[in-house]
Amino acid sequence: VILTGSMDGTAKLVHMNGNILGSLENASESVETVGLCDVLPLAATGSVDGSLSIWDVNTQRLRTTLKHDDSVNRLKWHQNSPLLTSASMDCTVRTWDSRTGECVRVWKGHQEGIMDLALSIDGKTVVTASDDGCCLVFAQ
């Protein structure tokens, strides 16, 4: 299964043969980042409207909507975990538990919006790239 995001605020679940399996619709603006969990049948979408939506892939229903104060530019699922980390134009990086919707960690330090992030394999280190021209390393 492939997950795509679109400027129309939707995400599509697509079979490898190209058939659209379903549409995930919760954002009021462009979906900028998407990801599939590798341990649970969950998907996540991040939007310019600041929403981070968690979806049940099997039912294609929205489980919960999490919020940043500005656009969600990047999300990454942790390997072998229900945790995901998101980066936003609100200058924060947040780690979430997708099962509960709880924000388990917030990192701050950038002066401008965060455009990208990378996670270490164990999920304990996050490297971010920002419009402020800096890359920061955050560790648990």
Side-chain angles (χ1 to χ4, degrees), residues 76-90:
K76 302 272 186 181
W77 286 94
H78 294 226
Q79 288 186 359
N80 302 311
S81 171
L83 298 178
L84 72 152
T85 297
S86 57
S88 173
M89 289 301 288
D90 68 8

Side-chain angles (χ1 to χ4, degrees), residues 11 13 16 29 36 60-61 68 89 91 105 108 111-112:
L13 285 167
M16 293 293 286
E29 295 184 52
L36 294 164
Q60 298 175 23
R61 290 197 177 152
H68 272 274
M89 289 301 288
C91 304
R105 185 75 191 246
K108 297 178 181 179
Q111 302 303 308
E112 298 287 337

Side-chain angles (χ1 to χ4, degrees), residues 4-12 23-31:
T4 67
S6 174
M7 288 181 61
D8 68 3
T10 67
K12 302 282 194 253
S23 182
L24 309 178
E25 301 177 18
N26 187 47
S28 62
E29 295 184 52
S30 176
V31 172

Side-chain angles (χ1 to χ4, degrees), residues 61-77:
R61 290 197 177 152
L62 181 65
R63 288 182 55 135
T64 191
T65 302
L66 314 169
K67 289 296 283 183
H68 272 274
D69 292 332
D70 205 337
S71 174
V72 178
N73 292 332
R74 187 71 65 223
L75 68 83
K76 302 272 186 181
W77 286 94

Side-chain angles (χ1 to χ4, degrees), residues 1-3 12-16 21 36 57:
V1 173
I2 300 167
L3 182 60
K12 302 282 194 253
L13 285 167
V14 183
H15 189 276
M16 293 293 286
L21 303 173
L36 294 164
V57 173

Side-chain angles (χ1 to χ4, degrees), residues 32-43:
E32 296 293 305
T33 183
V34 298
L36 294 164
C37 181
D38 66 355
V39 295
L40 295 171
L42 299 176

